[in-house]
């Protein structure tokens, strides 16, 4: 059994913004959009990028070929069925790797492809053998892993490992897994296969990031992510949020990425989709480093780590000390005054704080209201 206390080891992001992300409501990335997003993610340092299967449409195939021809540091993958025609087209499009999948749960075997477990293994082995002959990096994934019979999926994974796959994939296709079940499954799988392990987690029940992190703790080597977590239904593991989780565990885990680019990446994808980045998005959300309560602001002004586990400077972000509200404390008012080049004695700071609280009790106020009160009592700082 994998050591439950083992730290997260080296891992790779498989960015699926241009595959899983295309399944997000209203998404329509042009080839130019895909190239623009890919270039920025390449600068960020993602190791893999996954595109929609070239079988999906003529433009999908053209997009794979276009990105295959780009100067890039990432490996280009495409997501294909365990089907020989799909595999041959993927190779023809110039990919570095193929993410092969087939459903193994009773739901998938009855209502999707209708194949027995023996047929699933045989189909997978034939496709893996062909891709290996073409020197294509290959992953074989059981779709809907967490609703599949445990013995069945372990049998499939072991067979694919022996067939020579580079990694096997665990997919929480409908988002029912929790951190403990994820850890247990990946940990057991680590004892069954010698190849790498990939985790793909949907966020239907809000556990995608926690599950991805537990997968890494259990021995997974690759995690599927998208920018802002976009994907089918309410998406999969968001890259930025997983980076926040990894950073708070051990910031050296994410130092290989160009972290200040995270905000630019999320802004770009949000613009392409016509959506707003949620206010509570870790790191890049508008309130990620927003401090308001008096006790909090006093401590943060003296030592930010008191109430910040993430240093905004590492991501090119800024903290904000809110002073325009009834909870404001004297230290926040002093900080605002100094920002304006004003120096007020303690009795004046108390007076300003009292006036701001009283005004805020009457209704919402703005930073301009606070500044007006300060300027009425201003005493310029001497050089």
């Amino acid at each position: 059994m994998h050591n439950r206390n083992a730290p997260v080891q080296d891992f790779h992001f498989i960015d699926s913004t241009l595959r899983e992300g295309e399944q997000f409501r209203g998404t329509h990335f042009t080839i130019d959009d895909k190239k623009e997003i890919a270039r920025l993610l390449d600068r960020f340092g993602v190791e893999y990028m996954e595109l929609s299967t070239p079988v999906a449409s003529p433009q999908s195939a053209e997009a794979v070929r276009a990105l295959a021809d780009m100067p890039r540091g990432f490996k280009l993958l495409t997501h294909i069925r365990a089907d020989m025609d799909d595999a041959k087209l993927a190779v023809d499009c110039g990919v570095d790797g193929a993410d092969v999948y087939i459903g193994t749960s009773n739901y998938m075997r009855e209502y999707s492809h209708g194949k027995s477990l023996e047929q699933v293994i045989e189909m997978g082995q034939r496709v893996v053998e062909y891709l290996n002959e073409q020197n294509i990096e290959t992953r074989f994934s059981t779709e809907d892993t967490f609703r599949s019979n445990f013995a069945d999926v372990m049998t499939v994974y072991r067979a694919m490992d022996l067939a020579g796959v580079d990694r096997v994939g665990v997919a929480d296709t409908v988002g029912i897994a929790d951190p403990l079940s994820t850890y247990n499954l990946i940990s057991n799988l680590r004892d069954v296969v010698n190849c790498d392990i990939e985790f793909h987690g949907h966020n239907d029940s809000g556990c995608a990031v926690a599950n991805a992190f537990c997968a890494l703790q259990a021995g997974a080597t690759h995690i599927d992510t998208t920018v802002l977590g976009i994907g089918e239904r309410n998406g999969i593991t968001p890259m930025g949020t997983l980076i926040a989780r990894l950073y708070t565990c051990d910031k050296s885990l994410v130092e290989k990425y160009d972290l200040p680019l995270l905000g630019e990446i999320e802004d770009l994808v949000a613009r392409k989709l016509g959506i707003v980045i949620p206010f509570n998005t870790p790191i890049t959300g508008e309130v990620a480093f927003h401090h308001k309560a008096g006790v909090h602001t006093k401590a943060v002004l003296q030592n930010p780590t008191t109430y910040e586990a993430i240093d905004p400077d590492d991501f090119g972000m800024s903290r904000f000390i809110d002073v325009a509200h009834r909870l404001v404390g004297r230290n926040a008012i002093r900080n605002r005054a100094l920002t304006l080049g004003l120096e007020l004695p303690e009795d004046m700071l108390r007076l300003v704080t009292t006036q701001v609280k009283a005004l805020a009790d009457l209704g919402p106020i703005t930073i301009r209201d606070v500044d007006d009160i300060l300027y009425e009592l201003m005493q310029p700082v001497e050089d």
Side-chain angles (χ1 to χ4, degrees):
M1 178 69 70
H2 185 77
N3 180 4
R4 187 177 295 274
N5 297 314
V8 174
Q9 302 297 317
D10 190 32
F11 64 92
H12 304 290
F13 283 145
I14 296 179
D15 183 86
S16 191
T17 304
L18 302 181
R19 197 281 294 177
E20 177 73 46
E22 280 208 295
Q23 297 170 212
F24 181 63
R25 183 188 65 183
T27 300
H28 181 80
F29 293 135
T30 66
I31 292 178
D32 284 342
D33 288 337
K34 293 179 180 181
K35 291 169 72 173
E36 185 178 2
I37 292 168
R39 279 193 290 266
L40 196 52
L41 283 164
D42 193 36
R43 285 173 53 201
F44 181 77
V46 296
E47 298 90 342
Y48 295 83
M49 285 204 67
E50 183 186 56
L51 268 67
S52 298
T53 173
V55 174
S57 72
Q59 198 239 40
S60 296
E62 187 181 348
V64 175
R65 291 189 175 98
L67 266 69
D69 290 339
M70 283 176 50
R72 53 188 167 81
F74 61 80
K75 291 183 178 180
L76 182 66
L77 311 175
T78 191
H79 193 252
I80 62 171
R81 297 169 297 185
D83 178 271
M84 194 63 74
D85 289 338
D86 288 18
K88 289 178 178 178
L89 180 56
V91 172
D92 182 64
C93 287
V95 298
D96 302 303
D99 289 343
V100 182
Y101 73 94
I102 191 167
T104 50
S105 69
N106 289 334
Y107 297 94
M108 298 295 173
R109 282 154 59 183
E110 182 175 353
Y111 300 112
S112 181
H113 53 71
K115 305 293 184 183
S116 68
L117 191 68
E118 292 74 19
Q119 289 173 311
V120 165
I121 292 173
E122 183 182 353
M123 292 166 63
Q125 288 172 330
R126 283 192 288 110
V127 172
V128 168
E129 181 182 8
Y130 167 74
L131 291 170
N132 283 344
E133 290 171 352
Q134 307 302 313
N135 294 316
I136 298 295
E137 185 173 325
T138 306
R139 178 217 73 189
F140 187 92
S141 176
T142 62
E143 191 180 20
D144 204 12
T145 311
F146 287 85
R147 293 195 300 181
S148 299
N149 178 275
F150 180 81
D152 286 352
V153 296
M154 291 299 166
T155 298
V156 173
Y157 288 137
R158 182 60 178 158
M160 293 303 108
D161 185 33
L162 292 173
V165 292
D166 293 281
R167 61 185 178 278
V168 292
V170 171
D172 183 18
T173 304
V174 295
I176 63 165
D178 60 47
L180 183 58
S181 64
T182 301
Y183 186 96
N184 287 339
L185 195 153
I186 299 291
S187 181
N188 279 284
L189 178 58
R190 182 71 285 165
D191 292 334
V192 170
V193 300
N194 295 312
C195 61
D196 287 340
I197 300 173
E198 177 180 336
F199 177 75
H200 178 95
H202 277 260
N203 202 38
D204 298 76
S205 60
C207 287
V209 171
N211 290 344
F213 183 70
C214 282
L216 288 172
Q217 289 180 308
T221 55
H222 296 67
I223 300 293
D224 293 2
T225 64
T226 60
V227 177
L228 295 174
I230 61 172
E232 186 83 6
R233 303 183 308 280
N234 61 335
I236 66 168
T237 306
M239 180 180 72
T241 306
L242 181 56
I243 283 174
R245 171 64 275 191
L246 289 164
Y247 179 103
T248 57
C249 172
D250 179 356
K251 65 186 296 184
S252 69
L253 292 171
V254 293
E255 286 178 345
K256 58 184 176 178
Y257 302 111
D258 191 345
L259 299 179
L261 277 179
L262 181 60
E264 186 178 345
I265 291 168
E266 294 186 350
D267 284 341
L268 173 64
V269 172
R271 288 199 311 273
K272 299 291 185 187
L273 297 173
I275 64 173
V276 175
I277 296 174
F279 72 91
N280 58 346
T281 300
I283 300 172
T284 60
E286 64 178 336
V287 298
F289 301 103
H290 183 284
H291 299 278
K292 183 175 180 180
V295 172
H296 284 228
T297 55
K298 177 183 179 182
V300 167
L301 288 168
Q302 294 184 59
N303 183 349
T305 60
T306 307
Y307 284 104
E308 286 179 354
I310 298 172
D311 185 348
D313 289 342
D314 286 342
F315 295 87
M317 307 299 290
S318 301
R319 72 177 52 85
F320 178 73
I321 305 297
D322 192 351
V323 297
H325 55 88
R326 62 163 67 100
L327 304 179
V328 69
R330 189 171 72 257
N331 290 281
I333 294 294
R334 178 188 293 109
N335 182 70
R336 179 60 186 172
L338 292 173
T339 300
L340 297 173
L342 309 175
E343 185 173 12
L344 275 65
E346 287 300 308
D347 59 337
M348 288 296 185
L349 285 172
R350 291 190 180 89
L351 178 59
V352 171
T353 305
T354 300
Q355 290 183 10
V356 170
K357 288 175 177 287
L359 186 61
D361 269 344
L362 300 176
I365 63 174
T366 67
I367 191 69
R368 179 68 177 272
D369 296 321
V370 176
D371 291 351
D372 286 345
I373 295 173
L374 282 166
Y375 279 123
E376 288 177 6
L377 301 168
M378 69 180 180
Q379 181 177 337
V381 176
E382 296 181 2
D383 293 333

